[in-house]
Amino acid sequence: RVVDATDSNNNLSYSVEVGNSLTMEVEPYQNWPINEYNWYKVTDRNSPELIAQTSEPTFTIENANEEDAGQYF
């Protein structure tokens, strides 16, 4: 089963097979040097929850499911 989603804020489209991993990558605003990236997921109450801090501009969602679509930023 494949989940298709679109991020309306950035006009990004993507597909991921349920159960596989998905790696997100961001480009720093105006290529500013950034040492830490904060990754959030929307909770059941529609509020952001910090789930990871990385030194690289990438984050991987393991074992993706349908509820993950559009919930990370």
Side-chain angles (χ1 to χ4, degrees), residues 3-27:
V3 176
D4 294 311
T6 301
D7 179 334
S8 60
N9 293 330
N10 295 311
N11 297 319
L12 301 174
S13 297
Y14 55 90
S15 292
V16 63
E17 186 173 338
V18 172
N20 283 353
S21 63
L22 171 69
T23 299
M24 298 181 293
E25 183 171 3
V26 296
E27 185 174 320

Side-chain angles (χ1 to χ4, degrees), residues 18-22 61-65 68:
V18 172
N20 283 353
S21 63
L22 171 69
I61 302 167
E62 299 292 341
N63 196 23
N65 62 54
D68 289 332

Side-chain angles (χ1 to χ4, degrees), residues 59-73:
F59 178 73
T60 300
I61 302 167
E62 299 292 341
N63 196 23
N65 62 54
E66 291 180 21
E67 289 78 32
D68 289 332
Q71 300 301 304
Y72 291 87
F73 62 99

Side-chain angles (χ1 to χ4, degrees), residues 35-56:
N35 297 327
E36 183 177 271
Y37 296 85
N38 294 330
W39 299 92
Y40 296 87
K41 182 177 181 181
V42 177
T43 66
D44 293 339
R45 297 181 318 220
N46 290 325
S47 59
E49 176 184 345
L50 179 65
I51 56 168
Q53 293 179 315
T54 62
S55 60
E56 298 294 324

